[in-house]
Amino acid sequence: MPDAVELSPQFDGWFRARNWQPRAHQTAFWHAARNGNDALLIAPTGGGKTLAGFMPSLEALVKNGSTGKLHTLYMSPLKALAVDIQRNLMQPVEELGLDIRIETRSGDTPQNRKTRQKQNPPDILLTTPEQLALMLSWPEADDFFAALDTVIIDELHALAPNKRGDLLALGLARLARLAPSAKRLGLSATVADKEALRRFLTPQIDGSEEAVLIEGKAGAPPNLSILDTAERLPWGSHTARHAMGDVLAAIKNADTSLIFVNTRSQAEMVFRELWALNDDGLEIALHHGSLAPERRRKVEAAMAAGQLRAVVCTSTLDLGIDWGAVDLVVHVGAPKGASRLAQRIGRANHRFDEASAALLVPSNRFEVLECKAARESVAAGEQDGAVMRTGGLDVLAQHIFGTACHAPFNPDELYDEISRAAPYHDLPRAVFDRTVEFVATGGYALNSYDRYARLRQEKDGHYRLAHPRLATRYRMNVGTIVEAPMLKVRLTRPKKGNRPLMGGRVLGEMEEYFLTALAPGDSFVFAGETLRLEAVRDTEALVSRAHNADPKVPTYQGGKFPISTHLAERVRAMLTDPESWRDLPPQVAQWLEMQQAFSALPDKNMLLVESFARGARFYMTAYPFEGRLAHQTLGMLLTRRLERMGGRPMGFVANDYGLSVWGLRDIGLMVEQGKLTLDALFAQDMLGDDLEAWLDESALMKRTFRDCAMISGLIEKNLPGHEKTGRQVTFSADLIFDVLRSYEPDHILLQAARADAATGLLDIGRLGQMLARIDGKMMLKRLDHVSPLAVPLLMEMGKEPVRGTADDELLGEASNRHDDLVREATEGISGFGHADAI
């Protein structure tokens, strides 16, 4: 550890006035930055990472004065975090009377401010990877970044493992050419793979020095409890309605609370339920990514000013937000990962030496096990964050396009530059050349269409834009976040007679598929209000306020995190250790005892498979505990295989813990009769031809291709004076997908889409590990009726239909209501009381 670093008198006095003493990791980080080194600081929440990152820039600007050029560029994964950082940085700047301009720039920033920033840059600019890509595409980018001294990347662990990280890495590689002396300072929470983050931060050049790694000591362990409700805990369901009274009581007992949920629809539901119970009129607000920017900023400002008692929020407030008044985090639903939980817990009591308080609120009995596993995992300091990835080819295509918007480029020089970005360090030259050709012409199958000709190669070998107007179209569509097709939700007055509907203020955006399934007059919950749909016009939904007692809760595609590998392993171990059940709520322990008495419990080294009849259908249920994504892929592949084996499957459903396939043949009986074997059914070769065949015909692959096509710039949603609807985008993507699959199956975008499907939506790697783990280790239980563990699965039945020969013989649905399933599951299991009390 280097000697203590002396602060300038101004900042030293500011620290002393607050009785603050710089910590060892802060001074070590300042020492590295002053020496011009790239550096990575890994420290827990509340460890002062932000101040450590900015202090060298603030001192340099005080000492040397402003040059009128951009000095420090700060990269944030969240717009809300950038706003919060600006608020915190302005405190010492204003109190010390420093002549330093600090501004934010995001998609929410007014256009006139963006124009001013381009002409007259601030000293410190707080922005996002998407805005960096846009700024690098300016013809004036060389001059804009010429004096850049420091790049600060906050919450690096959240950016690096995804496509936004790919875009950022490519942007850093370009900045290294425009401002070669600029140092990179990375700030990260505790992670499992520190070396991967160091590689991401450091230019990948032979002989270059790796970023200096500085680690802070662990803070005080959190005070983490799990709600043991007196209410009857559901066997299934994800609403947690039963616990809203307990949650409101926790809010009343705290000064300020953050109520985290995992999805936007759950945020709307929890906010509505809390507000209905809120007889005391506590100030409770709602915050998620679909709300209008001005509504989110209003909530953030009110929270910072201490005007709210609680905010119900999603991942939009996960990272780095420093609201010192927050003394309780409530997590409704299972957290799905220890790292995510630790990050969210850190929003409470944002102080290094004091324990954060958090309350986990399980939605159902399975989630009690998961919450217990998460608490143990956090206590053990386990990290389950995502591993580093190979850079996406669609992101590479976008970057190549953006580079041409800046100026003509030499492909040899650009390849050398891109290879210095960690995600693309091992990119083969041939793949790079094919990607350039795709950006230039669309590829072999599309090169006869002028609309896909974006680049033109000159005689000197340089590539330039085919037309200047393409630069505007690039900047209108830059970024890697592809939302499902959205409609703006605009408030209006209720429709009366022939009076035309007049649009008012925008409340936010909702997914097109949900709104277009509603009829005018239907009510739904959004932005914490009950709204009535009046009409859908082009890209907007006109709504009025309503007072319906039973409105629909919107659903959103995506946003469902799968349970992490660490937590899944802990849950499996817990199930096989009855001694550990002593710490569980009695109703959960009883539920496991019932499963053990009637069937069996999943073994950590063996796959439990159950079969039973219900109504006129037969069910096969398995419990791999590998997460929703892997189970959905397994369900798709099992149904294909069962179709060939004569099992006549009709559909399947999956959750984080297991999956259930139903059909017209008794799979358990077929196994007993020797007509099929579990080894053959779950054989690892399903990830070969079966997977390829399914991908070729699946709607999921088309959706993945659509996203890749939009990121690459092949399909543009936003055009000057016009925005395509989601249906128009999907129609265009489907047509191109069919053409490429028929005439150029190795097209670069099909390659990108297959890679995305394998590593993302399908979780092929995790599924492959599971199939290897259970090879030859399966146990079949033929049952008289549904088992206790199968009840949560059957409650979600029917979400994934499967087309096959059984389609013509679909019979009426049996009731899936919770109480009916519980009564069926407890039938004939003696010694556990009446079903209504369990």
Side-chain angles (χ1 to χ4, degrees):
M1 185 72 68
D3 296 334
V5 175
E6 290 187 5
L7 293 172
S8 64
Q10 283 175 295
F11 290 107
D12 183 63
W14 189 77
F15 265 77
R16 291 180 184 277
R18 284 159 179 73
N19 293 317
W20 289 357
Q21 181 68 34
R23 301 183 187 279
H25 59 263
Q26 291 176 315
T27 57
F29 196 65
W30 296 337
H31 184 273
R34 286 180 177 179
N35 288 339
N37 296 335
D38 297 334
L40 171 62
L41 173 58
I42 295 178
T45 298
K49 293 190 291 291
T50 301
L51 198 57
F54 278 101
M55 188 56 69
S57 294
L58 293 174
E59 287 204 303
L61 286 166
V62 168
K63 179 180 179 181
N64 303 319
S66 175
T67 63
K69 297 286 188 180
L70 180 65
H71 179 278
T72 296
L73 184 69
Y74 166 86
M75 307 303 303
S76 163
L78 296 177
K79 292 178 281 190
L81 177 56
V83 172
D84 185 65
I85 294 296
Q86 182 191 33
R87 182 167 51 242
N88 291 334
L89 280 179
M90 289 308 297
Q91 185 178 0
V93 169
E94 291 175 350
E95 290 179 3
L96 295 173
L98 305 180
D99 185 19
I100 298 176
R101 279 178 54 208
I102 304 172
E103 296 184 5
T104 63
R105 181 189 178 99
S106 71
D108 296 342
T109 304
Q111 187 56 47
N112 62 340
R113 189 185 305 167
K114 290 181 179 178
T115 301
R116 177 178 55 76
Q117 289 172 345
K118 184 176 180 180
Q119 298 166 349
N120 182 20
D123 300 302
I124 299 175
L125 183 62
L126 317 175
T127 190
T128 62
E130 293 76 20
Q131 289 296 313
L132 173 60
L134 188 151
M135 292 185 288
L136 287 171
S137 75
W138 293 339
E140 306 88 355
D142 300 64
D143 181 63
F144 186 83
F145 292 107
L148 185 67
D149 178 85
T150 303
V151 181
I152 302 171
I153 307 166
D154 205 352
E155 307 291 354
L156 180 57
H157 63 284
L159 281 170
N162 53 53
K163 287 191 178 185
R164 297 184 76 202
D166 296 348
L167 189 65
L168 174 60
L170 292 168
L172 292 175
R174 166 111 313 225
L175 282 176
R177 280 195 180 275
L178 302 182
S181 62
K183 58 184 172 290
R184 304 175 183 182
L185 304 180
L187 310 176
S188 173
T190 308
V191 291
D193 192 350
K194 303 164 191 173
E195 293 305 316
L197 288 189
R198 290 179 78 183
R199 289 194 299 273
F200 185 94
L201 199 62
T202 307
Q204 299 299 293
I205 309 171
D206 291 341
S208 64
E209 292 186 14
E210 282 194 326
V212 177
L213 176 61
I214 298 158
E215 298 184 69
K217 295 180 180 179
N223 179 10
L224 183 55
S225 59
I226 301 173
L227 177 66
D228 185 3
T229 181
E231 301 292 331
R232 183 187 179 197
L233 189 60
W235 290 33
S237 170
H238 300 282
T239 64
R241 279 192 176 94
H242 70 282
M244 289 301 102
D246 296 305
V247 172
L248 187 62
I251 293 172
K252 290 179 180 179
N253 290 330
D255 290 333
T256 310
S257 304
L258 285 178
I259 316 299
F260 278 107
V261 297
N262 288 329
T263 66
R264 288 168 285 178
S265 63
Q266 194 176 21
E268 294 281 356
M269 188 280 297
V270 168
F271 179 80
R272 176 180 168 80
E273 294 289 328
L274 288 175
W275 199 251
L277 297 173
N278 188 16
D279 295 333
D280 294 337
L282 300 179
E283 297 85 356
I284 302 175
L286 176 66
H287 192 288
H288 62 71
S290 289
L291 299 179
E294 56 270 18
R295 292 178 74 91
R296 299 198 304 269
R297 297 293 93 84
K298 184 178 180 180
V299 170
E300 292 159 18
M303 194 67 169
Q307 298 170 353
L308 299 176
R309 291 293 299 276
V311 176
V312 179
C313 55
T314 60
S315 56
T316 51
L317 297 182
D318 261 8
L319 304 171
I321 307 296
D322 184 7
W323 290 329
V326 174
D327 56 348
L328 176 66
V329 163
V330 179
H331 199 293
V332 178
K336 303 303 174 187
S339 296
R340 181 179 299 111
L341 177 59
Q343 189 79 49
R344 290 180 168 181
I345 292 172
R347 300 309 104 218
N349 196 23
H350 212 80
R351 289 181 286 277
F352 187 69
D353 295 325
E354 298 180 22
S356 300
L359 174 66
L360 301 184
V361 181
S363 299
N364 55 57
R365 300 189 184 197
F366 254 130
E367 287 195 351
V368 173
L369 304 179
E370 189 177 333
C371 287
K372 185 172 184 288
R375 182 173 64 181
E376 294 172 353
S377 187
V378 168
E382 293 177 348
Q383 302 296 325
D384 51 20
V387 296
M388 296 300 107
R389 49 177 273 125
T390 300
L393 297 180
D394 50 345
V395 183
L396 175 61
Q398 182 183 124
H399 180 73
I400 292 170
F401 187 18
T403 301
C405 293
H406 165 65
F409 67 83
N410 178 301
D412 295 332
E413 294 176 357
L414 184 58
Y415 176 72
D416 178 65
E417 174 187 306
I418 286 170
S419 298
R420 300 183 181 192
Y424 297 92
H425 181 58
D426 297 321
L427 178 75
R429 177 60 192 257
V431 176
F432 169 80
D433 290 338
R434 287 176 57 216
T435 308
V436 171
E437 181 63 20
F438 157 66
V439 177
T441 68
Y444 166 75
L446 302 175
N447 63 14
S448 59
Y449 299 91
D450 290 342
R451 74 179 71 175
Y452 302 122
R454 291 182 281 172
L455 305 182
R456 180 181 297 116
Q457 191 170 25
E458 303 293 333
K459 292 181 180 179
D460 62 0
H462 284 63
Y463 283 88
R464 66 172 61 248
L465 284 182
H467 194 283
R469 67 171 176 267
L470 291 171
T472 300
R473 293 167 68 164
Y474 166 82
R475 293 175 190 129
M476 293 182 70
N477 294 276
V478 70
T480 64
I481 301 174
V482 180
E483 293 274 6
M486 308 290 278
L487 297 178
K488 286 185 173 65
V489 180
R490 189 178 293 276
L491 196 62
T492 186
R493 291 181 296 176
K495 184 174 178 60
K496 292 184 179 179
N498 295 323
R499 185 180 69 188
L501 292 169
M502 303 295 291
R505 61 191 179 91
V506 174
L507 299 179
E509 293 184 327
M510 291 183 64
E511 295 190 2
E512 181 183 33
Y513 86 97
F514 174 79
L515 287 168
T516 54
L518 300 178
D522 286 350
S523 62
F524 61 95
V525 175
F526 181 66
E529 301 186 58
T530 300
L531 305 172
R532 180 183 188 272
L533 180 66
E534 300 292 345
V536 174
R537 292 181 178 173
D538 297 325
T539 59
E540 292 190 341
L542 300 180
V543 301
S544 60
R545 289 191 172 94
H547 303 284
N548 191 304
D550 189 26
K552 295 179 172 64
V553 176
T555 55
Y556 298 86
Q557 296 180 20
K560 292 182 178 179
F561 305 112
I563 186 173
S564 71
T565 302
H566 281 301
L567 294 196
E569 290 174 353
R570 283 187 174 274
V571 171
R572 280 199 301 266
M574 202 181 305
L575 288 171
T576 58
D577 179 18
E579 289 295 316
S580 68
W581 302 354
R582 295 177 180 177
D583 298 331
L584 296 174
Q587 53 184 322
V588 178
Q590 184 187 49
W591 177 60
L592 297 180
E593 290 165 1
M594 290 172 57
Q595 173 70 20
Q596 191 175 44
F598 177 63
S599 172
L601 283 164
D603 187 278
K604 62 180 180 180
N605 297 315
M606 183 173 291
L607 179 68
L608 171 64
V609 180
E610 297 173 337
S611 68
F612 52 87
R614 186 168 188 264
R617 296 181 179 180
F618 295 95
Y619 294 79
M620 182 189 74
T621 303
Y623 306 95
F625 287 86
E626 292 295 346
R628 182 185 299 270
L629 299 180
H631 293 165
Q632 286 176 339
T633 303
L634 180 59
M636 294 166 187
L637 297 177
L638 283 176
T639 49
R640 290 182 64 89
R641 187 159 282 191
L642 283 169
E643 183 76 22
R644 289 201 310 271
M645 294 177 171
R648 305 181 77 182
M650 295 163 62
F652 79 92
V653 70
N655 62 19
D656 269 330
Y657 318 113
L659 73 156
S660 185
V661 180
W662 66 88
L664 300 180
R665 298 286 299 275
D666 185 341
I667 304 303
L669 180 60
M670 292 177 70
V671 171
E672 284 195 358
Q673 293 175 342
K675 295 180 179 179
L676 63 81
T677 67
L678 291 181
D679 285 342
L681 187 58
F682 288 88
Q684 297 179 57
D685 62 5
M686 72 166 63
L687 297 182
D689 293 342
D690 278 348
L691 177 62
E692 288 299 321
W694 173 75
L695 280 177
D696 282 343
E697 62 189 42
S698 76
L700 182 147
M701 188 63 180
K702 285 191 172 183
R703 290 199 302 269
T704 305
F705 176 82
R706 180 200 66 192
D707 292 352
C708 289
M710 292 177 69
I711 291 171
S712 71
L714 184 70
I715 294 176
E716 298 158 326
K717 180 175 173 56
N718 301 309
L719 300 169
H722 174 64
E723 179 180 338
K724 289 183 181 179
T725 67
R727 291 178 180 176
Q728 289 172 328
V729 170
T730 299
F731 181 74
S732 299
D734 288 353
L735 282 177
I736 296 172
F737 178 82
D738 291 337
V739 168
L740 295 183
R741 198 177 69 166
S742 298
Y743 298 103
E744 195 178 355
D746 62 344
H747 190 276
I748 206 76
L749 274 194
L750 289 179
Q751 185 177 334
R754 290 192 185 100
D756 277 4
T759 58
L761 292 172
L762 302 183
D763 216 347
I764 297 298
R766 191 165 173 183
L767 178 57
Q769 292 171 5
M770 184 275 291
L771 292 175
R773 173 171 60 83
I774 66 166
D775 187 22
K777 301 172 185 175
M778 285 166 275
M779 173 175 56
L780 174 66
K781 287 286 185 177
R782 292 195 65 206
L783 307 175
D784 296 331
H785 54 73
V786 60
S787 71
L789 285 194
V791 168
L793 277 165
L794 267 62
M795 287 181 64
E796 301 187 40
M797 242 180 64
K799 295 183 179 178
E800 296 286 349
V802 177
R803 304 304 175 200
T805 58
D807 234 16
D808 298 331
E809 303 178 43
L810 286 175
L811 303 175
E813 281 284 347
S815 168
N816 282 336
R817 290 188 301 112
H818 178 271
D819 291 347
D820 289 343
L821 282 164
V822 170
R823 276 190 283 273
E824 289 180 39
T826 55
E827 180 182 346
I829 307 179
S830 61
F832 292 97
H834 193 272
D836 292 339
I838 297 174

